[in-house]
Each structure stands twice: as structure tokens, then as C-alpha cells.
Amino acid sequence: MVCSTHLLSQSLYPSHRANPAAARGHLRFHARPVAVSPSATLGPSPGRRRPLGLRVAASAEQGRRQVEVVYDREAKFNKLADQVDQSAGITRLNLFSPCKINVFLKITGKRPDGFHDLASLFHVISLGDTIKFSLSPSKGKDRLSTNVAGVPVDESNLIIKALNLYRKKTGTENFFWIHLDKKVPTGAGLGGGSSNAATALWAANQFSGCIASEKDLQEWSGEIGSDIPFFFSQGAAYCTGRGEIVEDIRNPLPANLPMVLIKPPEACSTAEVYKRLRLKHTSQTDPLALLKEITENGISQDACVNDLEPPAFEVLPSLKKLKKRIIAANRGDYNAVFMSGSGSTIVGIGAPDPPAFVYDDDEYKDAFVSGLFIFPIPAFIFFISIQSKSVGPETATRGG
């Protein structure tokens, strides 16, 4: 910050020199600091005019002319901060990358391209990963690390695919060091990798000065994963097509609705699940009727249909056993018990506490168990910690 004496000289001396008569008079200049509110913000406040940098009051006192100059430090500081904000780039980002559940999942047909059409209510939950992005000093390669063994860190990872996609679409040349702190289990049907990819696209856009709109990012993301576009929604959406057609749904579930996730160590192969799918054996319920039932009357076992459960239970019979045991142990705590996505996570909606057998039975000693909740809408956000080149750490939030 430029010192106040220098700022004062910058503002006063030219006009002083331009008025020799004033110089011959007995002028007294009083630089009186104006207190800066502790809550003053660095950035500009839209719609609010800033006070002038200087206030000048003239008065006569015992035949002598007196000029009082009041230096408004807050206005000058805000002006300088605005200039810094315009020129400073981001060098680091820490982002929260939430996962999702499929409250219901209907498979509606087979497409000519080999994919399946679906209709599903997606909703983000409070479980998620943390991803740290830093600009790489070198050009030509991203570097990804993670806390979980077995997670790929090469170009097969959706984070790297997303960064490559962003550079291809925008012509930018930023490369990154990324650390993925993984909390969402892999092969769980929770969309952890898809969320990571959406987060990477959004981060790359921030580093590049937001040259793409979020609508652009959402449309591009469908090229590398069907579930990724959802993570540019407001947190709850009715998804159709391959999953890339996203319609925001406001408040389909009560805020902070508790749930429990239980995932056995085994994962379900999505490709194998779809391979075993038989369309003639899927539920005949209209997905829009399911959506209406849930939004009007809440969660129920009948409404939480997942057409991928039967083929997933063929692939992993122990998963069918787990769901049956949870339902049998339910003493009215859960409104519904169902599988998310293509598995292998079983969700119990209505209570955060898993049944006792999960802890008592050695069969589940290596299972992933978590009590959490539905994100309230519109509180779905990426939590961000920003550090730019010229200003200190700043906290911000991003709407979904």
C-alpha cells in the first residue's frame, strides 16, 4: 500500500503549484485519516458509489485563509484494491467436490450409439473430496497426486481428461499440479470421479479468467462423462438422455435429510451391470410419476426405484444380501433403502445411524460406512480458498 503522505502529495501538489497566489497565503493542510471499517471489502460493491478520495473545506479564521484537506483512506484503498483485482491472477485453489445419490433411476431404452437412455433424480450429498490446484511452472504436463492407492494419476483419470478438454476447447495453455484428497469410495455409484472432473473444469476456467460460461462447461463435460453435467446444476436435477440433459429441481427433498451409506469392499463394474440389464424386466413406472411422488409426498420405498439393482445383484450377490439385511434390521428409521447408481453403495434414507450388524459382523469390517445428509438447496456450493499473485488468501464460495 502506498503511504498516505505520498498519496496526499500526488493529489495536492499539482493544484498548489498551479495557484501561486494560494502559495503566498498562509495555508495549512491537515491530513486527517478516516477510519476504515473492519468489515470493508477489497472488491468493488456494485451499485454503490465510492466517496471521493479527498474532501476540501475552506474557512476564514482571524483574517487568515485556512484550507482543511480530509484524506479518505477507505476510498483510496478500495480503488487500489480494484486495480489489483483486475490484474492479479489466481495461483492456487482448494475446492470441495461433492458426490451424489440417485434417488430413483429408470432405464428407458437402448440408444443406437450403444448407451442407454435414463431418467433419474440426482441429488448432491455432504460427502465429497477435496482437490487442491496450483499453477504448474512448466508447460506441457499436469501432475496429479492422491492420498488413495489404486486411483490412477495418469491421463485415464477424469481430472486430467477434464483439464485436457478445457485446453482443447479454449486454446489456453495453463497446466497444473493437483492433489486429490479422496473421501468418496471408488466404484460406489456416487459419481465421485464425475464430480472431480466438473470441479477441474470449473477450476481451469477460474485460472483463465472465466472465459467460458458455466453453460459451456456443462455442455463440454458431457463429452467425457454422462454424469458430469449434473455437477453444474443447483444440486438437485432430473437428468435424462445419457444423463447429460439436466433440469434443475428446486427443493425436492427436505433440507439436511439424514442418511447412511454402506458400501462393501467389492465394486460393481458399470459395464458388466449394463451388460446384464434386460429392458423387459425393468420397472414400468413412469419416471415423472416418481418425481411427482417424491416432491409432493417425500421419500418412500416404492418411489426409490433403481432399474440397475437386479443386474448389479447378479454381478455382486453379496450386495443383494446387504440390502435385505438392512431392510430386515430397520426399525422404522429408514424411509427407503436402495442402491445408488450402478452400485455398490446401499443408501438408507431417514437416519444417519447404520444397523448394528454392520459393526458386529466380520463380513463388513472393511465396508465403507458413513452417516451424512442431503445438501439443502440452494446451499450446494464448491467451497473455495483462493490465493492470487498480489493479494493474500481470500475465502469465497461458488454456486453450483
Side-chain angles (χ1 to χ4, degrees):
M1 168 97 183
V2 182
C3 71
S4 59
T5 302
H6 177 66
L7 290 175
L8 193 60
S9 69
Q10 292 282 321
S11 301
L12 294 180
Y13 287 177
S15 60
H16 190 182
R17 290 194 299 270
N19 188 353
R24 288 193 296 270
H26 299 282
L27 300 179
R28 293 187 303 177
F29 296 91
H30 304 281
R32 188 173 70 200
V34 177
V36 179
S37 167
S39 61
T41 58
L42 289 178
S45 299
R48 178 167 66 89
R49 295 186 62 186
R50 301 197 187 284
L52 295 175
L54 295 171
R55 293 201 305 272
V56 180
S59 64
E61 178 184 355
Q62 297 178 350
R64 298 168 60 192
R65 288 182 301 169
Q66 181 173 276
V67 176
E68 180 183 29
V69 177
V70 179
Y71 168 57
D72 192 334
R73 185 170 56 187
E74 178 180 3
K76 196 67 178 181
F77 179 78
N78 283 332
K79 183 178 180 181
L80 288 172
D82 289 347
Q83 294 171 351
V84 168
D85 287 346
Q86 291 173 3
S87 60
I90 296 170
T91 58
R92 288 200 295 264
L93 278 176
N94 295 338
L95 303 181
F96 176 67
S97 180
C99 65
K100 57 79 180 173
I101 59 170
N102 299 89
V103 183
F104 66 80
L105 175 56
K106 284 282 300 149
I107 304 300
T108 58
K110 184 78 175 287
R111 300 160 55 101
D113 59 9
F115 289 95
H116 287 80
D117 281 316
L118 60 83
S120 179
L121 175 58
F122 285 54
H123 208 301
V124 291
I125 60 177
S126 59
L127 176 67
D129 303 325
T130 301
I131 313 178
K132 299 179 181 180
F133 296 87
S134 299
L135 277 175
S136 171
S138 61
K139 300 294 183 181
K141 188 175 183 180
D142 299 302
R143 188 177 72 185
L144 174 62
S145 61
T146 182
N147 64 319
V148 176
V151 174
V153 294
D154 57 13
E155 293 196 353
S156 66
N157 190 291
L158 279 172
I159 292 175
I160 305 299
K161 287 185 178 182
L163 296 175
N164 287 333
L165 176 68
Y166 185 83
R167 287 186 286 262
K168 175 184 174 182
K169 294 291 187 180
T170 63
T172 54
E173 297 181 348
N174 287 333
F175 288 82
F176 303 92
W177 290 346
I178 313 106
H179 180 72
L180 171 62
D181 187 7
K182 199 95 181 112
K183 297 291 192 298
V184 180
T186 57
L190 300 174
S194 295
S195 177
N196 294 165
T199 305
L201 278 173
W202 193 82
N205 199 40
Q206 295 298 307
F207 281 100
S208 300
C210 297
I211 59 178
S213 69
E214 288 200 10
K215 186 65 176 176
D216 291 333
L217 301 179
Q218 186 177 53
E219 291 177 357
W220 298 344
S221 68
E223 296 182 18
I224 56 174
S226 300
D227 288 352
I228 303 173
F230 162 72
F231 289 97
F232 291 98
S233 74
Q234 293 299 310
Y238 180 63
C239 299
T240 54
R242 292 183 291 110
E244 83 284 5
I245 302 172
V246 179
E247 178 187 349
D248 283 306
I249 303 295
R250 300 289 293 180
N251 304 312
L253 301 175
N256 299 319
L257 180 67
M259 70 181 71
V260 62
L261 303 184
I262 304 173
K263 179 198 174 294
E266 302 84 9
C268 276
S269 164
T270 300
E272 190 63 29
V273 170
Y274 274 101
K275 183 178 178 181
R276 293 173 182 249
L277 175 68
R278 301 292 181 267
L279 288 173
K280 63 181 181 180
H281 294 154
T282 59
S283 167
Q284 299 306 304
T285 307
D286 183 353
L288 289 175
L290 295 175
L291 181 62
K292 181 179 180 181
E293 172 66 21
I294 289 171
T295 54
E296 292 183 358
N297 301 316
I299 291 286
S300 69
Q301 188 66 52
D302 290 340
C304 295
V305 173
N306 186 342
D307 285 338
L308 295 181
E309 279 191 7
F313 292 165
E314 288 183 25
V315 174
L316 197 61
S318 61
L319 193 57
K320 181 178 183 179
K321 175 184 175 183
L322 174 60
K323 179 184 176 181
K324 284 185 173 182
R325 291 193 67 177
I326 294 172
I327 292 174
N330 182 20
R331 299 180 178 178
D333 292 334
Y334 306 125
N335 304 108
V337 178
F338 56 91
M339 186 183 77
S340 180
S342 58
S344 58
T345 299
I346 300 296
V347 183
I349 294 280
D353 301 315
F357 76 82
V358 175
Y359 297 113
D360 297 338
D361 196 326
D362 286 344
E363 184 178 352
Y364 301 104
K365 64 180 180 179
D366 296 322
F368 172 87
V369 182
S370 179
L372 31 92
F373 58 89
I374 287 281
F375 258 141
I377 304 300
F380 167 45
I381 51 178
F382 287 141
F383 296 98
I384 308 168
S385 172
I386 301 177
Q387 182 155 343
S388 67
K389 294 174 182 175
S390 301
V391 296
E394 176 183 342
T395 300
T397 59
R398 176 260 187 197

